[in-house]
Amino acid sequence: MSLRDQFTAQMKLSMKAGDSARTSTLRMIMAKLKDTDIAARPKGIDKVADEDILSMLRGMVKSRHESVALYRQGHRPELAAKEEAEIAVIEAFLPQQMDTAATEQAVADAVVETGATSIKDMGKVMASLRARHAAALDMAKAGPLVKAKLSG
């Protein structure tokens, strides 16, 4: 089942269950997906692929994490809780992220595989990580690990 079909099926279930918060988040996801599809039309793409949808979902989660931090700074716990609930719904559609040990192992493997020896080779290592583990690896966490591995 494609992600688009999952969104629709989950929307129907949440509407039947009367879960307005989940329904609202799913509607937001579907609206963002429609915007993404429209943005891809000039490239000759009618509907974006699942990989692009996953990237879109990761962006939505990232922006919500930033909002949570700002709401906490502004002493607005009710708004932070709402954003965290949205994060939980969105993350349910994302593949499981690698834990720290698996991320460190993937970085070490990529360094060996690419033959990287200095910080100048960081781009090659990151490209290798992205090619192999794009769905399950948080590149923002992998970057500093790669830098540390190549620096010393």
Side-chain angles (χ1 to χ4, degrees):
M1 179 184 281
S2 74
L3 281 171
R4 289 173 192 277
D5 297 335
Q6 288 180 33
F7 296 149
T8 304
Q10 290 296 317
M11 171 79 93
K12 289 177 185 176
L13 289 173
S14 70
M15 289 174 77
K16 286 180 183 176
D19 188 350
S20 61
R22 184 171 172 81
T23 302
S24 173
T25 303
L26 288 165
R27 283 187 175 137
M28 190 178 351
I29 290 170
M30 293 173 80
K32 179 75 172 169
L33 178 57
K34 191 170 194 168
D35 289 345
T36 304
D37 284 340
I38 290 170
R41 284 184 187 158
K43 299 175 191 169
I45 300 169
D46 193 33
K47 291 184 176 183
V48 294
D50 278 357
E51 297 84 38
D52 296 324
I53 295 172
L54 290 174
S55 177
M56 175 200 78
L57 292 174
R58 277 191 214 94
M60 291 176 76
V61 168
K62 182 179 178 185
S63 70
R64 276 157 187 73
H65 278 299
E66 292 167 359
S67 296
V68 166
L70 292 174
Y71 287 142
R72 292 211 189 288
Q73 283 178 345
H75 305 291
R76 298 296 305 266
E78 70 284 356
L79 294 176
K82 180 180 181 284
E83 294 288 325
E84 288 170 340
E86 289 177 0
I87 289 169
V89 172
I90 296 167
E91 284 182 338
F93 295 103
L94 292 172
Q96 186 68 32
Q97 292 289 307
M98 288 183 171
D99 62 0
T100 306
T103 301
E104 290 171 356
Q105 184 61 46
V107 167
D109 293 345
V111 168
V112 170
E113 174 189 312
T114 58
T117 56
S118 71
I119 199 73
K120 292 178 183 177
D121 299 322
M122 187 169 172
K124 286 194 280 187
V125 175
M126 293 300 286
S128 174
L129 285 170
R130 191 170 291 114
R132 285 185 171 226
H133 307 288
L137 182 65
D138 184 355
M139 298 309 279
K141 291 179 183 173
L145 291 173
V146 171
K147 193 176 223 176
K149 186 92 169 155
L150 295 176
S151 295

